[in-house]
Amino acid sequence: MAEEKYLLEVKNLCRHFTSGKGKNKLTVKAVDDVSFAVRPAETFGLVGESGCGKTTTGRTIIRLYDPTDGKVIFDGREISGPMTKELRQYLTDNIAMIFQDPIESLNPRMTIEEIVGEGLAVRGMKDKEEIRKMVHEMLEKVGLTEEHATRYPHEFSGGQRQRVGIARAMIVKPRMIIADEPVSALDVSIQAQVINLLNDLKEEMGLTILFIAHNLSVVKYFSDRIGVMYYGRLVEVANGDDLYAKPLHPYTKALLSAIPEPNPITERTRQRVDYDPERDHDYSEEQPTMVEVEPDHFVYCSPSELKAYRKQLGIAD
Amino acid sequence: MKYIDHNIPEEILNIPAEQFELVERENIKDEKFKTEPIGFFKDAMRRMGKSKPTMISLYIIVAIIIAALIVPLFTGYKYDEQNVSFKNLPPKIPGIEKLGIADGSRVLTNRKASSLEDPDRFPEGCIIEIVNEYEYKGTPVVDVKVDYYKYLGVPEDQYHWFGTDYLGRDLMTRLFRGTRISLLIAFFSVITNVIIGVIYGAISGYYGGKVDMLMTHFAEVLDGLPYIVMTILFMILLGPGMFSIILALCVTGWIGTSRLIRAQFYRFKGREYVLAARTLGVKDITLIFRHILPNTVGPLITRAMIAIPGAIFSESFLAYIGLGISPPEPSIGILLADGQNVLLQYPNQTLFPAILISLLMIAFNLFANGLRDALDPSQRGEE
Ligand SMILES: Nc1ncnc2c1ncn2[C@@H]1O[C@H](COP(=O)(O)OP(=O)(O)OP(=O)(O)O)[C@@H](O)[C@H]1O
Ligand SMILES: [Mg+2]
């Protein structure tokens, strides 16, 4: 696998938050030893319940937070090292982010044109007319019109604001987008609209997307590969189809069982599985590690669990 | 399949999959807005215009400022023009004098009844009425209400609207000239405080961590210095005057502002739109001034507005304890301090400066509140 070309590689990434000093020191391991890799032009879905560290992972990759430990490599270059002007430039040229909250993520005192055009202005584009033209083109692409450009964010609906956020991220032509729950705050009909838009743009621009979501139903048809996170750790990484067809980790199973089904008959009998790490694992003797159970399918498990999983998949030792 | 309790008709459940057709997703296109776009400050001004107290207080402030600028030019007296023979005159205002108020009259008490006849003591026609008659040790004594202007022989056409002080200086001229000085002191100290406070608070709040800790401690130490001592030090160094007072007010005055700004920065620097700008490579300085600082404008203006009466008051207080600007230059504080020495005999000398300073304080406070509401972004677009 080592020769394979990845666009983004995250290796043993840790991000801990500390508060207090001395005796009162408190450490939150928001992200703890997370590794995964994203291929060019693929969509990687990062899923997990609220507070499991998805946002922190995304923000650490783009260096809104400094990693406590571990490495992040983008296109062969380490981007987790000491921050320099040049590295910041490299990051902003290559990775952009879409945020979770459609209200919070747009400056209430700037017009849409200023918000979307800021990335261009920062890149030294001086010609106001040219910026305006590009902004209008971009707005067109996300389904907004020219005349929305002079408006302020408070005049828009949640879905529209989120599309503005997408326009802002896309206009600088990044190679990768980190989309942090871009649809969680929207209602279901608008969710599809925004996801389809992201998908179209991805196709058009050959983007790589790290798509963060808190339930599997959103990433289901959208992601090529999916990573499942639980309490700051990745517990299972697999191709989208594999994850649905043969989930291994009990937490993945729990998440899958939480997806509502469109068929009213089967939906009524859907069995909700819950996950309790105390009950589902016995790590008193063996320590769990991330293991590749079958090609491209990783699970966080102990040796004995591994054996069980292999048996389940019908793979001989 | 197990039987499940449902009331979906069989024919619907048994529609074959081929009969389903994918509805093509139409392109997203949004409706045009029907309203005009409106900028943030325009919107704020519009909302402010709708609030009566704010507008009234604004008119009062403007009126006082205009009065401070032009009244001293038109009274016909100079603020330092003394005339000791016409001292402590009561107010006399043309027109209103006929109504029996501000007519330049005063009650003189304990006068020998016989002296009323003496034209040297009581010039012809100055006596309006005898208020009280009684005897003291066998001598008839009266309280008499006189036209004090005639009593002192002030020329017929000379009016002092607010009266004169103990040196015979026209109080109206002095009051409005004093307002000018007070406003000037307030304005300069507020401006410098806001500038220092904003920059200091912004740096300490934005960068946080060690920088913040050091800066906060430094401010705390400064805050511990009593400002009277500071004023005296500056006066020793630079001599008494406006400059020393402004400097003294500036040394510690900015600390409150910087705390406010720092808190606002802590609140806003983690907002998603700030983070979004950071991921786009926006520079710190732009983040500070364009993305975060505008959020502090509301509280900042409110604070600055409230600080104005505060500064006027500090100046008055300094004047009161004898550390004011050097005479004969007046200020509201000096007038108040002078006036209260003779409060019981000549209440008008305290009344007018007191009314003016109260009006100023109330107007600035009301205006500050109105501005704060108008600039509150959460009320954007609301009536
Ligand atoms: N700046 C911070 N300081 C301290 N703790 C933090 C900070 N940011 C996040 N955390 C903690 O880290 C953990 C992970 O937070 P994170 O925001 O990454 O979760 P999330 O998976 O994005 O959740 P959600 O689905 O609600 O967005 C949480 O326990 C949170 O309390
Ligand atoms: Mg999150």
Side-chain angles (χ1 to χ4, degrees):
Chain A
M1 292 302 285
E3 319 80 60
E4 197 176 337
K5 180 111 174 77
Y6 290 113
L7 186 66
L8 178 79
E9 280 176 273
V10 177
K11 290 182 177 167
N12 309 100
L13 188 70
C14 298
R15 168 69 213 192
H16 301 170
F17 292 106
T18 52
S19 65
K21 284 198 192 92
K23 254 202 301 207
N24 302 323
K25 188 155 173 166
L26 205 77
T27 305
V28 178
K29 297 186 175 180
V31 176
D32 197 24
D33 201 11
V34 162
S35 305
F36 59 89
V38 185
R39 298 191 181 91
E42 123 179 313
T43 300
F44 188 94
L46 194 59
V47 187
E49 65 192 19
S50 205
C52 71
K54 309 178 297 289
T55 298
T56 310
T57 309
R59 290 187 180 173
T60 311
I61 292 172
I62 202 168
R63 293 302 292 276
L64 283 173
Y65 301 148
D66 287 331
T68 309
D69 199 9
K71 261 190 191 175
V72 182
I73 294 162
F74 185 87
D75 197 19
R77 175 182 171 161
E78 182 173 341
I79 55 171
S80 49
M83 186 49 88
T84 60
K85 236 179 145 178
E86 199 268 326
L87 178 57
R88 168 72 42 217
Q89 185 69 37
Y90 181 77
L91 276 169
T92 56
D93 283 346
N94 286 290
I95 311 179
M97 193 153 184
I98 298 170
F99 289 83
Q100 183 167 353
D101 189 332
I103 297 166
E104 280 266 285
S105 60
L106 304 179
N107 188 339
R109 292 170 193 250
M110 284 164 80
T111 60
I112 300 308
E113 185 172 305
E114 290 168 328
I115 291 172
V116 177
E118 186 162 39
L120 296 175
V122 167
R123 272 160 193 69
M125 216 156 140
K126 292 258 153 55
D127 188 354
K128 286 238 161 65
E129 269 315 305
E130 204 181 332
I131 293 184
R132 175 164 300 147
K133 221 177 109 229
M134 288 180 73
V135 168
H136 289 170
E137 271 168 29
M138 198 65 231
L139 286 180
E140 197 81 25
K141 269 190 194 157
V142 298
L144 295 167
T145 60
E146 232 170 77
E147 76 104 21
H148 289 121
T150 51
R151 300 297 175 142
Y152 287 84
H154 74 94
E155 298 172 73
F156 291 84
S157 72
Q160 287 175 322
R161 290 185 211 200
Q162 213 53 315
R163 281 185 271 140
V164 172
I166 293 175
R168 168 176 60 191
M170 296 289 187
I171 202 164
V172 297
K173 303 211 161 48
R175 293 165 68 191
M176 180 166 158
I177 291 251
I178 298 176
D180 185 2
E181 306 201 34
V183 297
S184 302
L186 307 178
D187 69 51
V188 183
S189 58
I190 308 292
Q191 284 189 3
Q193 193 191 59
V194 171
I195 287 188
N196 286 330
L197 172 70
L198 261 181
N199 230 353
D200 293 349
L201 288 171
K202 177 198 159 188
E203 232 102 279
E204 191 183 320
M205 305 169 106
L207 272 177
T208 309
I209 300 183
L210 176 61
F211 189 93
I212 297 173
H214 63 243
N215 63 29
L216 272 168
S217 56
V218 175
V219 286
K220 195 166 166 182
Y221 302 102
F222 183 52
S223 307
D224 303 304
R225 280 160 61 70
I226 296 173
V228 179
M229 245 181 127
Y230 184 76
Y231 263 88
R233 288 184 164 278
L234 265 180
V235 294
E236 187 162 359
V237 181
N239 288 327
D241 300 337
D242 287 346
L243 197 82
Y244 289 103
K246 37 193 180 181
L248 294 176
H249 198 275
Y251 181 62
T252 313
K253 289 179 186 161
L255 275 185
L256 279 172
S257 76
I259 304 178
E261 296 193 24
N263 186 333
I265 301 168
T266 48
E267 167 64 13
R268 283 181 199 209
T269 52
R270 176 166 63 94
Q271 287 286 311
R272 188 78 172 78
V273 185
D274 66 338
Y275 173 62
D276 176 1
E278 296 290 316
R279 182 197 66 205
D280 293 337
H281 305 286
D282 178 14
Y283 290 152
S284 53
E285 279 156 30
E286 306 166 312
Q287 282 308 304
T289 48
M290 200 71 177
V291 190
E292 187 164 14
V293 183
E294 55 176 341
D296 251 4
H297 191 161
F298 299 81
V299 186
Y300 184 69
C301 60
S302 62
S304 56
E305 281 174 326
L306 177 63
K307 234 175 232 156
Y309 291 156
R310 293 208 158 186
K311 207 157 140 202
Q312 189 186 329
L313 292 175
I315 309 170
D317 287 274
Chain B
M1 193 192 288
K2 245 182 8 208
Y3 173 76
I4 305 152
D5 176 32
H6 62 72
N7 43 20
I8 304 163
E10 276 302 300
E11 62 272 24
I12 290 183
L13 281 178
N14 296 331
I15 298 173
E18 310 86 73
Q19 286 191 18
F20 282 98
E21 191 183 315
L22 190 68
V23 178
E24 202 51 47
R25 171 169 58 87
E26 76 266 50
N27 270 335
I28 9 175
K29 265 279 175 287
D30 292 297
E31 290 175 51
K32 296 199 167 190
F33 285 113
K34 302 211 170 54
T35 53
E36 283 295 304
I38 182 161
F40 189 81
F41 275 96
K42 238 170 121 190
D43 187 45
M45 290 308 121
R46 191 181 54 91
R47 255 178 299 132
M48 195 179 83
K50 288 211 169 120
S51 148
K52 276 219 181 72
T54 316
M55 291 318 285
I56 291 175
S57 51
L58 178 64
Y59 295 145
I60 293 178
I61 293 170
V62 171
I64 291 178
I65 292 177
I66 291 177
L69 288 177
I70 64 170
V71 166
L73 303 177
F74 289 107
T75 52
Y77 307 101
K78 284 183 66 197
Y79 71 95
D80 57 352
E81 181 186 322
Q82 303 183 5
N83 191 345
V84 195
S85 42
F86 297 157
K87 63 183 185 182
N88 295 328
L89 284 176
K92 185 179 179 190
I93 306 173
I96 299 179
E97 59 185 333
K98 311 235 158 40
L99 303 175
I101 42 169
D103 56 358
S105 68
R106 166 168 299 153
V107 176
L108 302 174
T109 52
N110 297 336
R111 302 294 154 137
K112 263 194 211 140
S114 54
S115 68
L116 296 187
E117 313 302 324
D118 182 358
D120 283 344
R121 308 273 312 269
F122 289 90
E124 164 116 49
C126 77
I127 298 168
I128 298 172
E129 65 175 320
I130 309 243
V131 185
N132 205 358
E133 277 178 285
Y134 51 97
E135 266 185 32
Y136 183 71
K137 289 185 180 164
T139 333
V141 176
V142 286
D143 293 346
V144 61
K145 186 175 178 190
V146 296
D147 181 333
Y148 204 65
Y149 280 62
K150 278 190 185 144
Y151 176 78
L152 286 183
V154 181
E156 194 62 35
D157 58 346
Q158 188 169 340
Y159 288 89
H160 293 280
W161 290 29
F162 294 174
T164 58
D165 70 358
Y166 68 103
L167 290 173
R169 295 175 294 198
D170 180 55
L171 273 175
M172 183 155 80
T173 315
R174 282 179 69 73
L175 178 59
F176 284 105
R177 180 159 177 114
T179 309
R180 209 193 274 187
I181 305 276
S182 295
L183 283 174
L184 215 63
I185 290 180
F187 181 76
F188 276 118
S189 66
V190 166
I191 289 290
T192 37
N193 284 346
V194 164
I195 291 174
I196 302 174
V198 163
I199 294 175
Y200 197 88
I203 293 175
S204 126
Y206 182 79
Y207 291 102
K210 283 224 171 61
V211 177
D212 179 34
M213 200 187 73
L214 282 175
M215 291 179 85
T216 311
H217 283 323
F218 177 70
E220 259 160 29
V221 170
L222 258 193
D223 204 20
L225 298 175
Y227 102 108
I228 297 282
V229 175
M230 204 85 78
T231 316
I232 294 172
L233 279 178
F234 277 117
M235 291 206 167
I236 292 170
L237 272 175
L238 306 165
M242 222 168 86
F243 191 59
S244 303
I245 295 180
I246 293 178
L247 260 185
L249 285 175
C250 288
V251 168
T252 51
W254 55 269
I255 292 171
T257 313
S258 85
R259 285 201 187 117
L260 174 100
I261 298 289
R262 174 180 171 273
Q264 289 286 322
F265 266 72
Y266 263 92
R267 211 175 119 198
F268 284 100
K269 70 176 176 183
R271 288 284 161 105
E272 286 194 343
Y273 72 80
V274 178
L275 297 180
R278 265 175 72 190
T279 62
L280 289 171
V282 177
K283 292 198 180 60
D284 283 356
I285 195 106
T286 318
L287 284 176
I288 290 178
F289 286 105
R290 186 148 170 67
H291 290 268
I292 309 181
L293 203 60
N295 291 301
T296 66
V297 165
L300 184 68
I301 289 185
T302 318
R303 211 199 124 75
M305 285 291 161
I306 288 173
I308 288 177
I312 294 176
F313 227 79
S314 302
E315 186 275 326
S316 304
F317 172 68
L318 288 175
Y320 185 78
I321 60 168
L323 288 173
I325 53 175
S326 30
E329 199 62 63
S331 76
I332 298 185
I334 287 178
L335 293 176
L336 280 172
D338 287 349
Q340 70 91 45
N341 287 331
V342 290
L343 180 64
L344 289 180
Q345 301 103 299
Y346 314 118
N348 63 298
Q349 295 189 17
T350 315
L351 182 70
F352 292 106
I355 290 178
L356 196 78
I357 201 171
S358 310
L359 262 182
L360 262 182
M361 307 273 252
I362 294 172
F364 269 115
N365 277 316
L366 276 180
F367 183 63
N369 278 336
L371 256 190
R372 183 199 52 210
D373 291 347
L375 290 170
D376 182 353
S378 66
Q379 294 189 8
R380 230 10 250 277
E382 282 167 31
E383 293 310 316

